């Protein structure tokens, strides 16, 4: 999920939610079309959609990794997430609406309000997941368990804090440090890159670039960018492939018919 946890990713996400707010403000669903002038409606819906964007973005980033490991498809967890986040978001939206239009208190009851809010959040969440699926961040089968190793055999795993699990995806060199990536995140370790690669032990993988080693089972696809190649991993992270390594990866069956 590294590529979803950048400033650029959040800006893109919230821009999309802001656009959804403009559309809803123009359309004026659930009677809001008659509540006020267009600027006020757009401001109301944009505010709600931006707040929803923050909550939905955080919920997906938190829910996706464990759901992926358990092999749960999006349709199995998206409705549950929508039901859960609608409780605080529905309450907040009602408070804001009553502040703008006091008559809402008598016109719409709590049950009806929650149902309307749930419909909006479910649609926004489903569109969000669908958009990221098309971008390649949520696609592919559930991440398999990495090759089991006996304690001490893959010494690099001892460098991982408990919160990151033991499913090593790749190693990334950063100056004098090595960043160890798993499905749960990453950690920086002070050690030579060559030593880190030696410490992976029996975990099947290859050095695909001067600064990258990738576990074979972490690869979910190949991205072509002109003459350059990148490997898309189960976490959504993209590892560059050095041209000098292409023949080795192809011979090992990593690229199959992609090159």
């Amino acid at each position: 999920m590294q590529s979803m946890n950048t400033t650029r990713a959040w800006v893109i996400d919230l821009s999309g939610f802001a656009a959804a707010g403009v559309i809803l403000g123009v359309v004026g669903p659930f009677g809001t079309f008659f509540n006020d002038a267009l600027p006020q409606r757009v401001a109301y819906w944009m505010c709600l959609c931006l707040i929803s964007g923050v909550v939905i973005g955080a919920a997906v980033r938190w829910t996706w990794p464990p759901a992926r490991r358990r092999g749960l498809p999006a349709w199995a967890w998206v409705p549950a997430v929508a039901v859960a986040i609608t409780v605080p978001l529905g309450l907040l939206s009602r408070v804001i609406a009553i502040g703008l239009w006091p008559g809402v208190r008598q016109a719409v009851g709590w049950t009806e309000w929650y149902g309307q809010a749930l419909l909006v959040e479910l649609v926004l969440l489903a569109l969000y997941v669908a958009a990221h699926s098309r971008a390649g961040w949520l696609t592919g089968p559930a991440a398999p368990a990495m090759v089991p190793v006996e304690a001490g055999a893959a010494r690099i795993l001892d460098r991982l804090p408990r919160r990151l699990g033991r499913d090593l995806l790749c190693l990334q060199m950063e100056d004098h440090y090595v960043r160890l990536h798993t499905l749960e995140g990453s950690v920086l370790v002070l050690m030579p890159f060559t030593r880190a690669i030696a410490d992976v032990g029996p975990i099947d993988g290859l050095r695909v670039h001067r600064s990258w080693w990738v576990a074979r089972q972490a690869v979910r696809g190949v991205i072509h960018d002109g003459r350059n190649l990148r490997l898309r991993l189960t976490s959504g992270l993209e590892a560059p492939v050095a041209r000098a390594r292409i023949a080795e990866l192809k011979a090992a069956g990593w690229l199959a018919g992609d090159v």
Side-chain angles (χ1 to χ4, degrees):
M1 298 290 285
Q2 292 293 321
S3 57
M4 292 183 70
N5 290 320
T6 63
T7 301
R8 180 176 180 273
W10 275 104
V11 169
I12 293 174
D13 285 355
L14 294 181
S15 296
F17 280 99
V22 172
I23 294 173
L24 289 173
V26 172
V27 175
F30 309 121
T32 56
F33 184 85
F34 303 101
N35 285 352
D36 223 323
L38 178 61
Q40 287 75 20
R41 295 201 313 271
V42 170
Y44 168 75
W45 281 107
M46 279 190 64
C47 177
L48 295 186
C49 285
L50 286 172
I51 295 173
S52 294
V54 173
V55 175
I56 287 174
V60 170
R61 286 162 171 81
W62 180 78
T63 306
W64 174 74
R68 185 69 168 275
R69 289 196 303 273
R70 291 170 174 77
L72 294 178
W75 59 261
W77 56 267
V78 165
V81 171
V83 169
I85 65 176
T86 299
V87 174
L89 290 176
L91 175 61
L92 179 62
S93 65
R94 185 172 176 87
V95 170
I96 295 174
I98 291 175
L100 294 173
W101 309 297
V104 168
R105 186 193 301 272
Q106 289 74 34
V108 185
W110 279 102
T111 302
E112 184 180 357
W113 188 273
Y114 178 83
Q116 294 175 356
L118 176 60
L119 179 59
V120 171
E121 299 304 332
L122 184 58
V123 171
L124 291 176
L125 179 58
L127 290 176
Y128 181 81
V129 171
H132 284 305
S133 295
R134 290 181 62 86
W137 290 353
L138 303 176
T139 55
M146 304 303 283
V147 178
V149 296
E150 297 180 359
R155 292 187 296 273
I156 194 67
L157 298 181
D158 295 332
R159 305 272 188 164
L160 292 170
R162 184 180 300 274
R163 63 182 175 82
L164 294 182
R166 307 280 285 180
D167 294 339
L168 184 66
L169 302 181
C170 63
L171 307 176
Q172 179 185 4
M173 182 171 64
E174 296 185 11
D175 295 326
H176 299 295
Y177 292 82
V178 177
R179 184 174 294 277
L180 282 59
H181 293 272
T182 74
L183 281 171
E184 301 297 339
S186 66
V187 64
L188 274 176
V189 177
L190 179 60
M191 65 186 307
F193 191 54
T194 52
R195 168 69 182 280
I197 293 177
D199 283 353
V200 299
I203 300 178
D204 187 11
L206 287 174
R207 186 171 185 171
V208 301
H209 186 273
R210 181 178 63 87
S211 303
W212 290 79
W213 175 93
V214 174
R216 183 172 191 139
Q217 294 188 68
V219 179
R220 283 295 170 269
V222 179
I223 300 172
H224 297 262
D225 183 11
R227 297 181 60 189
N228 300 319
L229 294 178
R230 299 191 304 277
L231 299 177
R232 187 176 70 242
L233 309 186
T234 54
S235 63
L237 193 66
E238 296 176 4
V241 176
R243 294 181 185 177
R245 301 282 180 177
I246 291 179
E248 180 183 0
L249 267 65
K250 189 174 183 180
W254 284 41
L255 303 181
D258 292 298
V259 180

